[in-house]
Amino acid sequence: MKKIVLFASGSGTNAENIIKYFVQSKLGTVVAVFTNNPNAKVIERAKKYGVPTQIFSKEQLFESEVLQKINVIQPDLIVLAGFLLKFPENIIAAYPDKIINIHPALLPKYGGKGMYGMNIHNAIVANREKETGITIHFVNENYDEGNIIFQQNVVLAGDETPEEVAAKIHELEQKYFPTVIEGILNQKS
């Protein structure tokens, strides 16, 4: 059974969707959720499925404490599901091509520092984009620059609010993120 570790900072809807997806799987299972936010709703969501959570500080992430905890688990895949901190190079080096992230836009557009959540959707509406979407990519030392694994677009009518764009993106995330993770795990078999 392949081991998946999730990193999340907020409400955890993507994390919960991934946990639920792999509950019935014979391929992989979510063995831990790591969060830098002691008040994150993802903690409750993980508890509901019996998935242990690890809460850590930014200092612990960038020193070696979080890496040591990950090393104990020896995950096959680390998934950033709404994790807002830049991922540290020591973990990236220890787990090459085993860390993925989802980005709520079609990279390379709307990527980089500060481009997350509603910041992206506001920019897409302000720029009157005709489409947007999601990108699932490997994580490297630069924000949103790792090799792209998967993209899915959604056409925009041009009159959407940022909140409506966010809802369309959330639908794509919920539909595709778990299946893309499954595909990656299958390749690692």
Side-chain angles (χ1 to χ4, degrees):
M1 184 72 86
K2 305 271 185 206
K3 293 186 275 189
I4 304 164
V5 168
L6 301 178
F7 276 75
S9 296
S11 72
T13 54
N14 276 326
E16 181 175 14
N17 189 42
I18 294 163
I19 292 167
K20 274 196 319 201
Y21 187 88
F22 284 97
V23 162
Q24 304 298 327
S25 174
K26 293 183 180 8
L27 177 64
T29 187
V30 176
V31 295
V33 173
F34 283 71
T35 184
N36 59 306
N37 179 356
N39 302 311
K41 195 150 191 232
V42 72
I43 297 166
E44 289 171 41
R45 292 181 192 273
K47 239 181 231 163
K48 193 162 66 173
Y49 295 93
V51 176
T53 55
Q54 299 273 343
I55 301 167
F56 59 87
S57 68
K58 194 172 182 177
E59 293 72 32
Q60 290 170 321
L61 178 65
F62 287 98
E63 290 162 7
S64 59
E65 280 182 62
V66 172
L67 176 57
Q68 287 168 1
K69 288 178 180 182
I70 293 170
N71 286 341
V72 169
I73 297 169
Q74 286 293 300
D76 297 281
L77 195 62
I78 297 170
V79 177
L80 311 187
F83 185 67
L84 299 181
L85 296 177
K86 190 169 193 287
F87 219 62
E89 291 185 26
N90 64 339
I91 300 175
I92 294 167
Y95 292 89
D97 296 326
K98 287 187 175 184
I99 306 169
I100 66 168
N101 182 39
I102 191 163
H103 187 75
L106 296 171
L107 291 173
K109 283 181 146 187
Y110 302 102
K113 188 169 174 57
M115 292 309 281
Y116 61 88
M118 290 309 293
N119 294 351
I120 293 170
H121 309 315
N122 288 329
I124 284 167
V125 168
N127 292 330
R128 293 183 163 66
E129 293 287 351
K130 303 259 186 279
E131 70 173 1
T132 187
I134 60 169
T135 303
I136 299 170
H137 63 92
F138 285 107
V139 174
N140 67 13
E141 61 281 351
N142 299 313
Y143 279 115
D144 305 323
E145 290 182 16
N147 289 335
I148 292 172
I149 301 163
F150 174 86
Q151 287 187 309
Q152 181 63 47
N153 74 316
V154 62
V155 175
L156 299 175
D159 60 353
E160 291 92 349
T161 65
E163 292 74 20
E164 289 168 330
V165 172
K168 288 181 178 192
I169 293 300
H170 189 66
E171 278 181 41
L172 293 178
E173 291 172 338
Q174 294 286 295
K175 180 175 180 181
Y176 292 105
F177 205 8
T179 58
V180 170
I181 292 167
E182 186 175 53
I184 294 166
L185 291 176
N186 268 320
Q187 289 174 358
K188 293 185 179 297
S189 294

